[in-house]
Amino acid sequence: PHPGRTRDRVMQLQALWVAQFARALRQARDAQELPPDTDLDQLAFEVTAMMFRANFAWIVTEDARVLAQARVGVKNVLARASQQVGSSKPPRRTRKR
């Protein structure tokens, strides 16, 4: 790492943001929206990795598709993590329209 005020500030802000996100995941687990054994650090890593990648790609290309991909990816990761909650229940049926 290259020490310096700018890097230190960026790292501080990133750590605060990730910590806030981890708190939100803990709240979801405490509310039984995520299984009690959810690896919150791994989940936070996966979601923030997609968000950082999408942000980078958006800045470089301004291609809105990367933002849509990130939304789908985050939804998929959260859905996979929350699937185990109440997994003994049969899946909900959806009506076709």
Side-chain angles (χ1 to χ4, degrees):
H2 301 286
R5 290 176 56 196
T6 302
R7 178 197 171 277
D8 293 347
R9 182 65 177 146
V10 168
M11 295 304 293
Q12 179 187 31
L13 291 173
Q14 180 182 354
L16 288 170
W17 188 85
V18 171
Q20 183 177 2
F21 186 69
R23 277 193 303 276
L25 290 174
R26 275 193 303 280
Q27 289 172 347
R29 184 186 60 197
D30 294 346
Q32 299 177 343
E33 295 172 358
L34 292 171
D37 61 344
T38 299
D39 184 344
L40 298 181
D41 288 335
Q42 182 64 34
L43 188 56
F45 178 85
E46 291 179 27
V47 171
T48 58
M50 279 187 270
M51 294 173 77
F52 281 111
R53 167 64 169 91
N55 184 58
F56 173 79
W58 168 251
I59 289 170
V60 173
T61 67
E62 293 186 7
D63 183 348
R65 290 179 298 176
V66 299
L67 302 177
Q69 286 178 310
R71 283 186 201 99
V72 169
V74 168
K75 285 180 183 180
N76 288 342
V77 168
L78 293 175
R80 185 185 73 228
S82 63
Q83 260 181 357
Q84 298 169 8
V85 175
S87 59
S88 61
K89 297 178 189 175
R92 283 193 227 166
R93 299 188 73 159
T94 57
R95 283 191 273 168
K96 293 182 182 180
R97 293 181 181 183

